[in-house]
Amino acid sequence: MTIETENQYAQEPMTCCNPIEHREIGSAILKSVSKPGRYSGGEYGEILKDKSTIKARFAFAFPDSYEIGMSNLGMRILYGALNSHKDIWCERVFAPWVDMQEQMQKHDLPLCALESGDAVGDFDFLGFTLQYEMCYTTVLNMLALSHIPLRAAERGEEHPIVIGGGPCAYNPEPVADFFDLFNIGEGEEMLPEIVRLYIRMKEEGRYTRAEFLHEAARTIPGVYVPSLYRVTYHEDGTIKAYTPIYDDIPTKIQKRIVQDLDKAYFPETVVMPYIETVQDRITVEVGRGCIRGCRFCQAGMVYRPVREKTPDVINAQARAIFDTTGYEELSLSSLSISDYTRVDELTDKLLSWTNPNMVNLSLPSLRADSFTKELMDKVTSIRASSITFAPEAGSQRLRDVINKNLYEEDLMRAVSVAFEAGKNQVKLYFMQGHPTETDEDLAEIPALARRVIDRYYQNPNRKGGRPPQVTISVSPFIPKPFTPFQWEAQDTLEEMKRKQEYVGSCVTDRKIKYNHHDAPTCHIEAVLARGDRRLGAALEEACKRGFRFDAWSEYFDYEAWMSVFEDTGVDPAFYANRAWGLDEVLPWDIIDCGVSKAFLLRERARAYEAATTPNCREKCSGCGANKWGGERACCPNNKS
């Protein structure tokens, strides 16, 4: 099959073989597994290059199924950014599903990249995006399937350089033993710099694995090489210090950001899957960062400072993808789309061509306090009859503790707008286990849902005759690095379950549907989120015992996790259920995410006073992230 690439730096069209054909195993395996389109390759828009012109090959790995990974915007951006270099070829690799893994083991097949069908172990680089802590066992499983030693210290010159990035890299320590290096922060500029250094050292004849890692840590900002730092511990198990083994590498790794998003790489063509994925739509990023400062939210802290694309750039990028794909839905990606400063101008530009082409405009991440009738009128083409908001806490006191800066009247005004537009279903997201929480706060979750239902019947302008339904989804609190609540203890598993049952007992109206997240999963997630290098032994043992796809409920086994912890000498309560000392060295203190620890401590103190902090546009709180500056950064007059 001949496939012509869409990349501007493409070579002549090449004949592409899928991984199974490449290994001459035949079509029998594909016929024996579910969704063979996950493994076939050859999709429209994939990037193929002539190997004879390539100086470095990069396998970009998403540690989950094809359907999940192909929906990830970050993967699309980095895939295209690396391939924009003529002499670099980036290919995709995903975690094979369980049935395919059984076939691979039966026939002794290694994990292969989709574009070429070549074994991942033969590449120069293998990069993993770490989106979720529960994917760590899948990462190790993919390394094992690739026949690559799990631990970085056991790899030789013949093995790929294994790179980690993504949001979980802000605390890389639990998986530090398995990665050669991490890129901390945004990767569009950093990843090509890493690969170009590799190419240069190869051409100069001075490449060795060790020399490359030292040179990358020394010369490329944002690169963290765990093997170049020694960690010592106090007798009580807390961390004593991080010590670089060389004097010419940073004592703290500062994250990388892209200052001008208008000039940043963004793909105008995307790979079109043959099978249905989680998000079959156009997705365009409108900005990065968040002005709000919720005290439990890691993304709102580590993605600072706030930067926005201009409406013309967003509109052009969205239209370009539509012209090459024909997708029927356009989603605008942002932590809070209604906080985009030019949202009305942007939506007008988009609607000028989405409406005539019958493309639904989707605006996720809407905040109730900035939700307007004008905005609602522009998204009435969305098929769904529901609208979603995230109060995060039932009582106003607790919303002030977490700095949600949302009032009940804001929510009621927003749902009234939705009811008048014909919506009759409202989804509300909450968390349980916030610091200072009481049962009275928990009881306010279904009580608030009940008041939303009352507002539906009190609204004389509501449309539609169907009765309302409010779905409340409640997730246990997980203390995350680089948040004001990073020092807080998570509820014990027993307490999490008790609170879930208590909230359920307070739901007395059939118009309220109650969902809650799995408490055991949240407990393990907290251990991994706040873990240090001593978790490496547990993760390695979990891999040996066949752990994989822990993000999927059908493969997650809490008792098996607890058995691994016991057998490897790990006390999960030490990481998840302990209130950490405010002067304690944290596992992630080796990373500088831009937001200062002094700011996080101030915000924690204000939380215990139930005192709110204004959003960044109202008043700069001096978080420290604005040291990067930039005309579109938040609080441009403050360089603290």
Side-chain angles (χ1 to χ4, degrees):
M1 176 172 58
T2 300
I3 302 170
E4 190 161 347
T5 175
E6 295 296 315
N7 186 266
Q8 60 176 319
Y9 296 118
Q11 311 303 317
E12 291 301 313
M14 300 166 52
T15 299
C16 176
C17 296
N18 68 47
I20 304 303
E21 293 170 338
H22 183 76
R23 296 291 169 182
E24 298 181 350
I25 300 299
S27 60
I29 290 179
L30 284 180
K31 292 178 181 178
S32 67
V33 300
S34 62
K35 299 185 180 180
R38 290 167 167 162
Y39 317 107
S40 63
E43 308 103 318
Y44 173 79
E46 73 170 5
I47 297 174
L48 304 176
K49 295 187 178 182
D50 182 350
K51 293 180 188 178
S52 66
T53 67
I54 301 303
K55 297 178 180 178
R57 298 185 66 185
F58 195 109
F60 197 110
F62 196 96
D64 210 319
S65 70
Y66 176 92
E67 299 95 307
I68 303 291
M70 284 298 292
S71 301
N72 183 265
L73 179 59
M75 186 172 192
R76 293 178 183 177
I77 292 173
L78 295 174
Y79 175 77
L82 285 165
N83 278 314
S84 67
H85 295 253
K86 293 182 180 180
D87 52 358
I88 299 172
W89 189 10
C90 178
E91 302 182 48
R92 297 162 296 139
V93 59
F94 304 94
W97 200 245
V98 173
D99 55 355
M100 176 57 89
Q101 291 191 31
E102 293 172 353
Q103 293 293 329
M104 292 169 65
Q105 291 164 355
K106 177 180 177 181
H107 296 279
D108 193 27
L109 290 175
L111 186 63
C112 296
L114 281 182
E115 278 75 6
S116 66
D118 292 342
V120 168
D122 294 335
F123 280 62
D124 301 297
F125 291 90
L126 173 57
F128 286 93
T129 177
L130 305 174
Q131 297 288 320
Y132 179 37
E133 290 85 355
M134 299 307 294
C135 78
Y136 290 166
T137 54
T138 304
V139 169
L140 299 192
N141 175 240
M142 292 176 74
L143 286 173
L145 291 171
S146 303
H147 303 168
I148 297 172
L150 295 187
R151 289 184 176 267
E154 298 172 357
R155 295 179 196 134
E157 298 296 332
E158 73 276 17
H159 294 119
I161 299 293
V162 180
I163 300 179
C168 290
Y170 283 101
N171 178 21
E173 294 305 285
V175 289
D177 291 338
F178 312 112
F179 285 87
D180 295 296
L181 68 83
F182 291 90
N183 60 269
I184 308 300
E186 297 165 1
E188 297 99 311
E189 298 167 350
M190 183 170 25
L191 275 181
E193 289 175 15
I194 293 170
V195 181
R196 296 239 68 89
L197 173 64
Y198 172 88
I199 293 171
R200 186 165 65 251
M201 292 183 70
K202 283 273 189 175
E203 291 177 338
E204 294 171 356
R206 60 188 184 98
Y207 175 87
T208 66
R209 192 180 197 89
E211 285 299 319
F212 169 75
L213 293 175
H214 184 190
E215 187 75 359
R218 186 179 69 84
T219 62
I220 301 178
V223 166
Y224 173 45
V225 180
S227 62
L228 302 186
Y229 297 83
R230 295 192 184 96
V231 187
T232 53
Y233 302 90
H234 295 291
E235 290 185 2
D236 64 357
T238 58
I239 295 173
K240 183 177 182 179
Y242 281 88
T243 307
I245 67 173
Y246 296 115
D247 293 334
D248 59 353
I249 61 175
T251 57
K252 183 170 283 196
I253 291 80
Q254 186 177 104
K255 75 173 181 183
R256 289 282 291 273
I257 70 163
V258 176
Q259 292 204 17
D260 189 344
L261 294 185
D262 275 359
K263 297 178 181 178
Y265 174 85
F266 193 84
E268 294 189 350
T269 60
V270 296
V271 181
M272 294 290 290
Y274 287 135
I275 64 173
E276 184 179 0
T277 61
V278 173
Q279 295 184 1
D280 282 323
R281 64 184 68 139
I282 304 166
T283 303
V284 179
E285 187 179 39
V286 303
R288 296 179 188 174
C290 181
I291 66 174
R292 298 290 173 168
C294 297
R295 290 169 180 145
F296 59 84
C297 181
Q298 183 186 56
M301 297 295 167
V302 300
Y303 294 144
R304 293 185 179 197
V306 173
R307 291 145 291 150
E308 295 182 346
K309 292 182 183 178
T310 57
D312 284 340
V313 169
I314 299 168
N315 185 57
Q317 291 174 347
R319 184 60 195 252
I321 297 177
F322 170 75
D323 289 340
T324 57
T325 65
Y327 276 132
E328 297 179 345
E329 183 172 348
L330 165 61
S331 178
L332 301 180
S333 174
S334 172
L335 290 177
S336 178
I337 183 61
S338 45
D339 286 331
Y340 178 68
T341 54
R342 301 166 70 179
V343 65
D344 290 332
E345 179 185 352
L346 172 61
T347 51
D348 287 343
K349 287 179 181 293
L350 294 172
L351 289 169
S352 68
W353 60 268
T354 56
N355 276 348
N357 288 286
M358 302 182 68
V359 176
N360 288 322
L361 179 60
S362 174
L363 304 180
S365 305
L366 291 169
R367 280 184 57 98
D369 58 349
S370 52
F371 184 75
T372 63
K373 182 179 184 303
E374 291 73 23
L375 204 56
M376 186 74 234
D377 289 342
K378 293 178 179 180
V379 295
T380 51
S381 58
I382 297 177
R383 298 187 183 99
S385 59
S386 65
I387 194 78
T388 302
F389 299 109
E392 305 293 1
S395 69
Q396 188 60 53
R397 184 199 71 82
L398 200 56
R399 285 196 292 274
D400 291 344
V401 167
I402 66 176
N403 202 47
K404 186 65 182 178
N405 278 322
L406 176 71
Y407 296 92
E408 185 169 326
E409 51 265 34
D410 297 322
L411 178 63
M412 294 305 168
R413 179 192 54 77
V415 297
S416 293
V417 169
F419 294 150
E420 291 172 10
K423 308 289 184 183
N424 73 307
Q425 298 178 34
V426 176
K427 297 179 181 178
L428 302 176
Y429 289 130
F430 298 90
M431 295 179 70
Q432 66 175 60
H434 291 300
T436 79
E437 180 183 78
T438 66
D439 281 1
E440 287 74 17
D441 296 311
L442 292 171
E444 277 297 303
I445 292 176
L448 182 60
R450 176 66 249 183
R451 292 194 288 274
V452 169
I453 292 172
D454 292 341
R455 179 56 62 98
Y456 175 86
Y457 289 110
Q458 294 166 3
N459 190 334
N461 298 319
R462 68 179 186 272
K463 296 179 181 178
R466 292 173 296 173
Q469 181 180 69
V470 177
T471 300
I472 54 176
S473 296
V474 185
S475 298
F477 163 72
I478 300 169
K480 292 282 187 173
F482 296 113
T483 67
F485 289 166
Q486 65 183 357
W487 294 276
E488 305 303 317
Q490 185 187 50
D491 285 337
T492 64
L493 181 61
E494 293 73 23
E495 180 66 359
M496 281 192 275
K497 290 181 176 179
R498 185 198 69 81
K499 288 183 175 181
Q500 289 175 340
E501 292 174 0
Y502 178 72
V503 172
S505 70
C506 295
V507 177
T508 58
D509 192 319
R510 288 184 295 178
K511 298 184 185 68
I512 300 175
K513 182 180 179 181
Y514 171 46
N515 299 322
H516 58 76
H517 198 63
D518 183 61
T521 303
C522 293
H523 183 218
I524 302 301
E525 183 181 343
V527 175
L528 298 177
R530 295 208 295 184
D532 55 39
R533 292 192 188 184
R534 291 168 294 187
L535 288 184
L539 286 165
E540 185 174 25
E541 180 62 25
C543 181
K544 291 178 180 177
R545 297 186 188 184
F547 286 30
R548 57 194 171 181
F549 292 119
D550 279 297
W552 296 75
S553 59
E554 58 263 46
Y555 294 106
F556 175 78
D557 187 334
Y558 180 75
E559 296 304 324
W561 268 103
M562 299 306 287
S563 176
V564 165
F565 288 147
E566 182 177 1
D567 292 346
T568 55
V570 171
D571 176 12
F574 178 83
Y575 298 103
N577 307 120
R578 176 175 67 92
W580 292 21
L582 300 185
D583 57 352
E584 186 175 331
V585 176
L586 306 176
W588 48 92
D589 277 350
I590 188 68
I591 305 298
D592 177 7
C593 83
V595 175
S596 71
K597 186 179 283 190
F599 166 76
L600 297 177
L601 285 167
R602 290 199 304 270
E603 284 297 291
R604 179 185 182 274
R606 290 179 65 81
Y608 278 89
E609 298 169 357
T612 61
T613 298
N615 73 60
C616 298
R617 292 203 182 110
E618 293 178 9
K619 181 181 179 182
C620 178
S621 56
C623 73
N626 224 38
K627 55 191 168 190
W628 283 277
E631 64 179 2
R632 294 194 185 97
C634 59
C635 311
N637 296 320
N638 183 288
K639 307 298 180 186
S640 60

